[in-house]
Amino acid sequence: MRVPLSWLREYVDLPPTETGRDVQAKLVAVGLEVETVEQIGAGLKGPLVVGKVLTIEELEGFKKPIRFCTVDVGSANGTGEPQEIVCGARNFAVGDKVVVVLPGAVLPGDFAIAARKTYGRTSHGMICSTDELGMGDDGTHGIIVLPPEHEAGTDAIELLELVDEVLDIAVTPDRGYCLSMRGVARETAIAYGLPLRDPALLDVPAPNAYGYPVKVADPIGCDRFTARTVVGLQPEARSPIWMQRRLQKAGMRPISLAVDVTNYVMLELGQPLHAYDRTRIDGPIGVRRAEQGEKLTTLDGTVRVLDAADLVITDNRGPIGLAGVMGGANTEIADASEDAHTTEVVIEAAHFDAISIARTARRHKLASEASKRFERGVDPQAAAAAAQRTVDLLVLLAGGTAEAGVTEVSAPSGPRTITMAADHPDRVAGVAYGRETVVRRLQEVGCDVYGQDELLVTAPSWRPDLNEPNDLAEEVIRLEGYENLPSTLPTPPSGRGLTDRQRLHRRVGRALAGAGYVEALNYPFTGEAVLDQLGLEADDARRRTVRLVNPLSDEEPSLRTTLLPGLLGALRRNDGRGSHDLALFETGLVFRPTGQETKPVRLPVDRRPSDEEIAALDAALPRQPRRAAVVLAGAREQAGWWGKGRPADWADSVEAARTIAREAGVDLTVRADQHAPWHPGRCAALYVTVAGEETLFGHAGELHPRVIKELHLPERTCAMEVELDVLEQAVDGALQAPRISTFPVATQDVALVVDARVPAAEVEQALREGAGELLESLRLFDVFTGEQIGEGRKSLAYALRFRAADRTLTVDEASAARDAAVALAAERTGAVLRGA
């Protein structure tokens, strides 16, 4: 809601020195979200005056039409002589009143005006359009042509209200009354402690039987309908400048007098209105639900196929408007430029069901100023006042005559009353406000309050959000100031902190960050398309997803079953923006339905759910394991003066898994595997030991070339994904810190020749078991293939470090441990000592 400060002052006597920023601070303090304060006309400097066009000379020989004009600007130029101006616009004629900026003036955007020679003539100023003055769209995109009654030389800055401040307020769904000047003025008056001049307090004639006939067939969808008729409108009547400027500042475009008046009253009182050309209505106006498949052409020219749940306005021919959303083209008010002028209008001021209007607007993807207000709640008691205000303005500005008939169809309704203990706001806020303060604040927002210790509160008609004691307590607390609530930190019981599970997750994140990975947080949504791109088989468990009822995107309607799509998408975006050396990681939940989930139960809200009810709800949820994943592309080590760099490869993704396992003190077993979306020859299955059995922990390696092509990823992109819940199960007690021995280490190197198909991990496992307890560490430092060792063979060179905790090892002891390790490797893998 855009609120011009000059308009706001009409209802609240703000101090003259109060600025938009001051009002913003006050409104924020009472709970309104004022996003910005726009300074309209900032930097504008005159002289900017009204001018009368005296002569127009068409200049020939140029690519576009150019006119040389003389304009009477009165005494504003200091001489009283006509001002000579070159102009390219053509929407004005001799005798028209226009806006002229003279040399020495500065327009918005720091555009200084000076006399200059152009098109062979000297132009002493400029004839202005709305764009050049920053006035907003007036629909003409041409020169401003003013009404003839304004004298030449009149100050146009004041006439056009070019200098003002506009507050832009983000109105939340529960504060729909603030989508009007009336509502914002009420909040402003409360914030400043000043009286409010309520624009809805008008003398409204009583309903009678002479008004335009209206039939409401759905009183639930429309509980109030007011109709008034004005005849004898002057076709040439235009909206006055003050009204056009207020509409423009509020973000609306002036159209015609009748339409501008309805928009103006909507902004003023918050009641959407619609004006029908009475000569285009056939019979009584009706309100009913649409018939399935009915069609209506709305004011935007779109033919809409209606749903049976849509509420429509009708005449004898059928629908003439989508109730509370947009009118129909067949009863549209004729523009002043059209041949068929509108001289008789029927004004509709109705109150429609908020939910029905919201659903219709979303169903037709047609958000309008009217629907925005109805779906947030409109004051049903304001309809008659809004219709009367519209009638008064049309009579005043268009020379019309109001007919005596007043139609009002309304469903019976009573006031909403709420019983609340007088100290309820005190108990909610923890502050002793006292009964007098509670009553005063509730009366300020428009409530009627009776009672002493037990208050009987009648909510005002413009506040449909006030329904229970907590709503009333919130009003008291916000008006007294949230900043005045005491801030008391709860004292946690001693001895409690992070759980072992939480500590492990944090250590994993820190370890990956320390290894050079950057954390990327992605949305937990996915779609079938990306699962196809990953090359997952039809029966892959990752294709069994939880589908959302209201997804943010139709392309990603399900919860993710793997972290890789989000990470790979982040890698692709960063690579496309010039960051080619990438190492990203993410930890988060994935959602794996088993098919055994039960139907969820609806938990009670009037008591704490029982353990059985909570267990039943948990049984309805899919399995949600926490996973960690990394993706790599480009260089893993940068080149520089220190030497050559190297690209990221599958081994780096495996090492990332080892890094995670080390944080839990768990040994990782690596075996060759084939698993989408990894390359079948460069994929490793990762295992940890849980309760004495090897359990799959995850996969790592280089992605399949087809996946890389489908997802437009850099070549040789690598990835790793593991399940942290499995790692947690593999942890055997508290993490043991390494022991530092005071005895020296004995190092033995061994090179073993094995078949090329034998995984290095199997050789390593055999060496570890064969070396026994004296082995401190084992590291593969070289892999060699060539003619020297034969075709289909490879040489694996390991460094074995031996150390005893209580003595210095002899050469014989270290050699014996090495020989035992080699023997077991030879037995299990067929390994042969190289050179033996």
Side-chain angles (χ1 to χ4, degrees):
M1 176 69 185
R2 290 173 56 84
V3 179
L5 187 59
S6 59
W7 194 357
L8 185 63
R9 290 181 183 275
E10 193 171 294
Y11 312 114
V12 183
D13 290 325
L14 296 173
T17 58
E18 206 74 354
T19 67
R21 295 290 183 189
D22 298 329
V23 177
Q24 177 189 29
K26 288 283 190 178
L27 292 180
V28 168
V30 295
L32 288 183
E33 186 180 344
V34 184
E35 293 185 328
T36 59
V37 178
E38 181 182 345
Q39 306 290 331
I40 293 180
L44 178 64
K45 175 185 174 185
L48 186 72
V49 298
V50 175
K52 180 180 180 180
V53 180
L54 301 177
T55 65
I56 298 177
E57 177 187 351
E58 301 288 346
L59 301 183
E60 305 291 340
F62 301 103
K63 293 182 179 180
K64 62 179 182 178
I66 299 296
R67 309 166 105 188
F68 181 70
C69 310
T70 59
V71 185
D72 176 15
V73 294
S75 60
N77 58 4
T79 65
E81 296 295 324
Q83 201 78 0
E84 297 179 342
I85 298 174
V86 176
C87 183
R90 308 191 66 79
N91 68 313
F92 63 95
V94 172
D96 282 346
K97 298 292 180 66
V98 295
V99 178
V100 179
V101 59
L102 300 177
V106 180
L107 295 183
D110 200 24
F111 180 28
I113 303 299
R116 65 189 183 95
K117 190 168 183 178
T118 179
Y119 297 103
R121 303 293 180 94
T122 300
S123 182
H124 299 273
M126 185 169 67
I127 302 176
C128 298
S129 68
T130 55
D131 291 338
E132 291 157 345
L133 297 180
M135 293 173 59
D137 184 15
D138 66 349
T140 65
H141 301 290
I143 293 302
I144 303 170
V145 179
L146 300 171
E149 63 266 19
H150 299 292
E151 293 293 329
T154 303
D155 183 6
I157 294 179
E158 182 178 349
L159 175 67
L160 299 177
E161 302 177 16
L162 295 178
V163 179
D164 202 351
E165 295 180 275
V166 177
L167 286 72
D168 194 350
I169 302 175
V171 179
T172 54
D174 62 330
R175 307 287 286 279
Y177 66 96
C178 285
L179 286 172
S180 68
M181 294 300 303
R182 180 194 184 201
V184 175
R186 185 182 303 278
E187 292 296 316
T188 306
I190 295 172
Y192 279 90
L194 296 172
L196 168 71
R197 288 187 291 274
D198 191 343
L201 296 180
L202 302 173
D203 291 330
V204 180
N208 54 50
Y210 314 118
Y212 197 91
V214 175
K215 299 178 180 178
V216 177
D218 188 341
I220 296 177
C222 175
D223 58 8
R224 185 178 296 269
F225 195 109
T226 300
R228 300 289 300 275
T229 305
V230 180
V231 299
L233 301 180
Q234 298 173 4
E236 69 278 3
R238 298 173 55 189
S239 301
I241 292 175
W242 61 266
M243 180 177 287
Q244 293 187 44
R245 290 298 294 133
R246 286 185 174 181
L247 290 174
Q248 288 172 331
K249 292 174 186 178
M252 303 189 77
R253 179 171 64 86
I255 298 173
S256 65
L257 178 57
V259 176
D260 291 349
V261 166
T262 58
N263 286 336
Y264 179 84
V265 175
M266 178 185 68
L267 292 172
E268 184 179 50
L269 301 181
Q271 169 66 54
L273 301 113
H274 190 72
Y276 300 93
D277 187 329
R278 187 165 76 166
T279 62
R280 297 185 179 187
I281 305 176
D282 182 7
I285 292 176
V287 183
R288 61 169 172 82
R289 296 290 171 175
E291 296 178 7
Q292 188 68 37
E294 271 189 305
K295 293 183 179 180
L296 168 68
T297 302
T298 46
L299 288 173
D300 58 359
T302 303
V303 178
R304 303 186 183 276
V305 179
L306 303 180
D307 187 271
D310 293 334
L311 196 66
V312 293
I313 310 298
T314 65
D315 64 5
N316 288 339
R317 297 165 298 179
I320 60 173
L322 205 52
V325 180
M326 185 173 286
N330 53 352
T331 56
E332 181 180 6
I333 297 292
D335 188 85
S337 61
E338 299 179 18
D339 294 335
H341 302 299
T342 296
T343 59
E344 301 178 3
V345 297
V346 177
I347 300 159
E348 166 206 305
H351 184 262
F352 301 111
D353 177 61
I355 295 176
S356 176
I357 300 305
R359 288 175 176 171
T360 295
R362 283 157 179 74
R363 188 180 300 117
H364 293 280
K365 295 181 173 60
L366 184 61
S368 64
E369 291 292 331
S371 68
K372 182 168 67 174
R373 286 165 172 79
F374 276 123
E375 64 188 37
R376 285 167 171 77
V378 169
D379 183 2
Q381 303 297 328
Q388 182 62 44
R389 175 69 165 146
T390 305
V391 168
D392 293 343
L393 287 173
L394 288 176
V395 170
L396 175 67
L397 302 176
T401 301
E403 290 193 347
V406 177
T407 302
E408 185 167 304
V409 180
S410 60
S413 62
R416 286 175 292 113
T417 59
I418 306 164
T419 301
M420 180 186 75
D423 63 347
H424 181 67
D426 302 20
R427 289 184 280 112
V428 171
V431 176
Y433 293 122
R435 179 187 176 279
E436 290 185 1
T437 298
V438 171
V439 172
R440 175 171 57 84
R441 289 303 191 185
L442 293 178
Q443 289 174 339
E444 285 177 347
V445 299
C447 296
D448 291 330
V449 186
Y450 303 95
Q452 293 298 319
D453 294 339
E454 196 80 14
L455 301 180
L456 185 64
V457 182
T458 302
S461 57
W462 59 85
R463 293 299 301 272
D465 58 307
L466 301 182
N467 296 298
E468 58 179 48
N470 284 336
D471 297 332
L472 301 178
E474 181 185 2
E475 293 299 300
V476 175
I477 295 167
R478 76 174 178 89
L479 295 180
E480 284 296 303
Y482 291 120
E483 69 278 6
N484 296 323
L485 293 177
S487 178
T488 305
L489 290 175
T491 304
S494 60
R496 296 185 183 179
L498 298 176
T499 65
D500 292 339
R501 175 187 177 88
Q502 291 169 328
R503 289 193 184 95
L504 175 60
H505 295 164
R506 293 196 178 190
R507 288 204 309 272
V508 166
R510 285 195 296 265
L512 290 174
Y517 292 86
V518 176
E519 186 172 16
L521 301 177
N522 299 292
Y523 285 117
F525 309 121
T526 190
E528 285 292 328
V530 73
L531 299 180
D532 293 339
Q533 291 170 330
L534 290 177
L536 304 187
E537 297 291 338
D539 58 349
D540 194 301
R542 288 169 290 180
R543 282 192 176 275
R544 192 162 53 240
T545 60
V546 177
R547 193 173 182 87
L548 301 172
V549 175
N550 55 341
L552 295 179
S553 169
D554 292 337
E555 296 179 356
E556 295 181 329
S558 305
L559 293 175
R560 67 187 177 191
T561 55
T562 168
L563 299 179
L564 291 182
L567 272 179
L568 293 174
L571 184 140
R572 180 177 61 247
R573 285 191 299 273
N574 283 275
D575 181 71
R577 287 162 174 75
S579 298
H580 304 301
D581 302 326
L582 296 162
L584 308 178
F585 85 93
E586 181 178 12
T587 62
L589 299 179
V590 298
F591 305 86
R592 294 290 189 88
T594 62
Q596 304 300 317
E597 291 82 10
T598 60
K599 184 177 180 180
V601 297
R602 185 179 294 275
L603 296 181
V605 295
D606 57 342
R607 58 176 175 81
R608 184 189 184 280
S610 66
D611 293 341
E612 292 76 14
E613 289 169 329
I614 294 176
L617 184 63
D618 287 339
L621 298 176
R623 194 170 70 89
Q624 301 176 52
R626 181 171 291 274
R627 307 200 115 207
V630 305
V631 293
L632 305 99
R636 185 65 178 135
E637 295 178 2
Q638 297 290 336
W641 58 264
W642 51 85
K644 295 181 179 180
R646 70 171 183 86
D649 60 18
W650 64 269
D652 293 302
S653 63
V654 174
E655 183 58 29
R658 293 188 189 279
T659 300
I660 293 174
R662 279 195 294 269
E663 288 302 313
V666 173
D667 292 328
L668 188 68
T669 302
V670 181
R671 291 197 177 90
D673 196 8
Q674 294 187 13
H675 187 70
W678 283 274
H679 189 299
R682 298 173 187 149
C683 173
L686 312 172
Y687 294 88
V688 293
T689 301
V690 177
E693 295 185 2
E694 277 193 351
T695 304
L696 183 65
F697 175 42
H699 289 85
E702 182 181 314
L703 294 181
H704 198 291
R706 187 166 52 249
V707 174
I708 291 174
K709 181 179 179 181
E710 288 284 339
L711 293 175
H712 306 289
L713 299 172
E715 292 184 1
R716 312 300 290 270
T717 297
C718 300
M720 176 276 295
E721 185 173 20
V722 294
E723 190 163 317
L724 297 181
D725 289 358
V726 173
L727 183 67
E728 182 185 3
Q729 297 169 15
V731 175
D732 186 16
L735 185 63
Q736 298 295 320
R739 296 179 60 186
I740 307 300
S741 173
T742 58
F743 298 98
V745 65
T747 303
Q748 297 271 359
D749 293 343
V750 60
L752 300 176
V753 178
V754 296
D755 190 278
R757 292 171 297 181
V758 174
E762 291 187 11
V763 179
E764 180 178 327
Q765 183 68 22
L767 289 174
R768 285 186 182 278
E769 293 182 17
E773 296 181 353
L774 295 179
L775 181 67
E776 183 179 78
S777 66
L778 173 67
R779 180 174 62 89
L780 175 66
F781 67 87
D782 184 52
V783 178
F784 176 76
T785 58
E787 296 179 359
Q788 298 91 325
I789 58 175
E791 185 177 353
R793 308 278 285 174
K794 63 182 177 182
S795 172
L796 305 176
Y798 293 91
L800 290 77
R801 292 166 56 93
F802 299 99
R803 195 193 314 253
D806 56 350
R807 66 189 188 281
T808 300
L809 292 178
T810 64
V811 174
D812 292 340
E813 287 178 310
S815 297
R818 181 202 63 184
D819 293 342
V822 171
L824 188 57
E827 179 184 338
R828 289 188 178 177
T829 66
V832 178
L833 273 173
R834 186 176 174 183

